[in-house]
Amino acid sequence: MKTRFTETFGVEHPIVQGGMMWVGRAELAAAVSEAGGLGIITALTQPTPDDLRREIDRARELTDKPFGVNVTILPSINPPPYQEYAQAIIESGVKIVETAGSNPEPFLPYYKEAGIKVLHKCTSVRHALKAQKIGVDGVSIDGFECAGHPGEDDVPGLILIPAATKALDIPVIASGGIADARGLVAALALGADGVNMGTRFMCTRESAIHQTVKEQIVANSERATQLIFRTMHNTARVADNEISRKVVEIEKAGGKFEDVRDLVAGARGRRVFEEGDLDAGIWSAGQVQGLIDDIPTCGELVSRMVAEAEALIGQRLAGMIG
């Protein structure tokens, strides 16, 4: 399947495994890339820039196909050494970077000089236009259905994707609510050049998260998420569990971030993924859980999606004409 995205970023299929904290490790990224998609290592999952260098080397041992690295820049009391992480990416010879969070403009000259293509995650058309203006090579547009931070506009993909593709000249990747060939074909029909899947790739054999979490994703319906931090204007969609329900309760009672800080600590969320304790902390998952009913390898998932998408386009949809 050839699109502007596959041609610009040099991958076989228009399917991206977006960066995910504690999930985007070498095994998963390499498996997605080996299957013909674009796998992405999450930089800040690695404790130091040197650890990131080693993780990139591990991915290279597993695949010779292109993969990227995600760098998410968020406000922090003690920010990570972002410049050093960027330097590690450049020196390692990675040619694709996924940026998210704050404006990536300060880092673009370094990436461009190194011949790196930049895919920036956005949650609105206005932010995507700004990203295009500063020179990114493509954007990933996150609809309200997505896991993680969907922004504050509450615009679902069915509206956001065509709105973005109408306004932008660079390739657009649709993100949020996509788990199979139907989502891929729908995104292409709405004008996108490919899709980004997070929750779906969490639930694959090569994903390093605990088997119990994968099985819970399969068991969950599309209603099994909570929106936290709504009152703080920093909305996050996470899996429905004891902790996320408690956070929502505290917010509704007028609580501030200080009142939920310990509940939402990243270390607690990491325990969910590593130990399989589903109520240890908050963990990201999208509404697309309701469409996931198996735990395939990345190779099986990507090849199935592409084959079924081709059949949908060439048979079912084509058969509706004439």
Side-chain angles (χ1 to χ4, degrees):
M1 299 185 75
K2 291 182 180 178
T3 69
R4 289 190 306 160
F5 171 75
T6 62
E7 291 172 354
T8 301
F9 287 81
V11 295
E12 188 178 352
H13 303 308
I15 298 172
V16 180
Q17 165 253 314
M20 295 172 279
M21 195 64 178
W22 312 127
V23 181
R25 301 179 187 273
E27 292 87 352
L28 178 59
V32 175
S33 290
E34 191 65 17
L38 177 61
I40 295 182
I41 292 170
T42 304
L44 298 184
T45 293
Q46 302 304 315
T48 70
D50 282 339
D51 287 309
L52 176 58
R53 287 183 173 91
R54 286 188 281 272
E55 194 72 359
I56 291 168
D57 287 343
R58 286 206 313 123
R60 284 223 173 87
E61 290 171 4
L62 297 170
T63 185
D64 58 3
K65 295 187 177 180
F67 60 86
V69 176
N70 165 281
V71 182
T72 298
I73 302 171
L74 295 172
S76 174
I77 296 170
N78 298 303
Y82 291 116
Q83 189 65 54
E84 292 177 31
Y85 277 99
Q87 197 60 36
I89 292 167
I90 292 166
E91 290 174 359
S92 296
V94 171
K95 292 302 178 186
I96 300 171
V97 167
E98 178 189 63
T99 56
S102 300
N103 188 342
E105 188 170 11
F107 297 91
L108 288 185
Y110 304 104
Y111 292 142
K112 293 294 182 183
E113 188 180 341
I116 293 172
K117 300 285 187 185
V118 176
L119 181 67
H120 185 62
K121 271 189 177 181
C122 307
T123 59
S124 69
V125 175
R126 64 186 183 280
H127 292 149
L129 284 168
K130 177 65 185 295
Q132 176 177 269
K133 186 177 180 181
I134 64 174
V136 304
D137 300 283
V139 296
S140 178
I141 195 88
D142 281 3
F144 185 56
E145 309 91 330
C146 74
H149 294 277
E152 303 304 309
D153 296 340
D154 297 1
V155 180
L158 200 59
I159 306 298
L160 187 59
I161 298 163
T165 58
K166 180 182 178 182
L168 295 162
D169 299 318
I170 56 177
V172 175
I173 297 298
S175 182
I178 298 162
D180 55 28
R182 295 169 298 179
L184 172 57
V185 172
L188 295 174
L190 292 170
D193 300 287
V195 297
N196 178 310
M197 302 192 301
T199 307
R200 173 69 272 196
F201 276 121
M202 281 172 59
C203 199
T204 57
R205 300 261 192 89
E206 294 90 349
S207 167
I209 66 175
H210 199 281
Q211 181 70 13
T212 301
V213 181
K214 298 178 190 181
E215 291 171 1
Q216 189 61 48
I217 291 172
V218 170
N220 280 347
S221 77
E222 65 278 5
R223 299 178 66 241
T225 68
Q226 292 284 343
L227 292 170
I228 63 173
F229 305 153
R230 292 292 265 173
T231 60
M232 303 168 201
H233 307 292
N234 187 29
T235 300
R237 186 181 296 281
V238 298
D240 176 55
N241 68 358
E242 183 182 311
I243 302 297
S244 60
R245 289 192 293 273
K246 192 169 183 180
V247 171
V248 171
E249 216 174 274
I250 291 169
E251 283 192 70
K252 284 181 177 175
K256 305 301 179 188
F257 181 72
E258 292 69 29
D259 302 308
V260 300
R261 183 196 299 270
D262 292 339
L263 293 173
V264 302
R268 294 185 61 153
R270 184 175 184 176
R271 280 183 53 207
V272 175
F273 289 146
E274 293 183 352
E275 299 172 17
D277 181 349
L278 297 170
D279 288 313
I282 60 166
W283 51 285
S284 291
Q287 291 181 312
V288 78
Q289 289 177 108
L291 303 180
I292 296 172
D293 55 18
D294 65 351
I295 308 171
T297 66
C298 291
E300 289 166 348
L301 174 60
V302 171
S303 62
R304 180 172 72 196
M305 279 184 68
V306 172
E308 290 180 359
E310 289 172 349
L312 265 174
I313 295 166
Q315 295 171 29
R316 182 170 184 269
L317 298 182
M320 294 178 179
I321 301 170

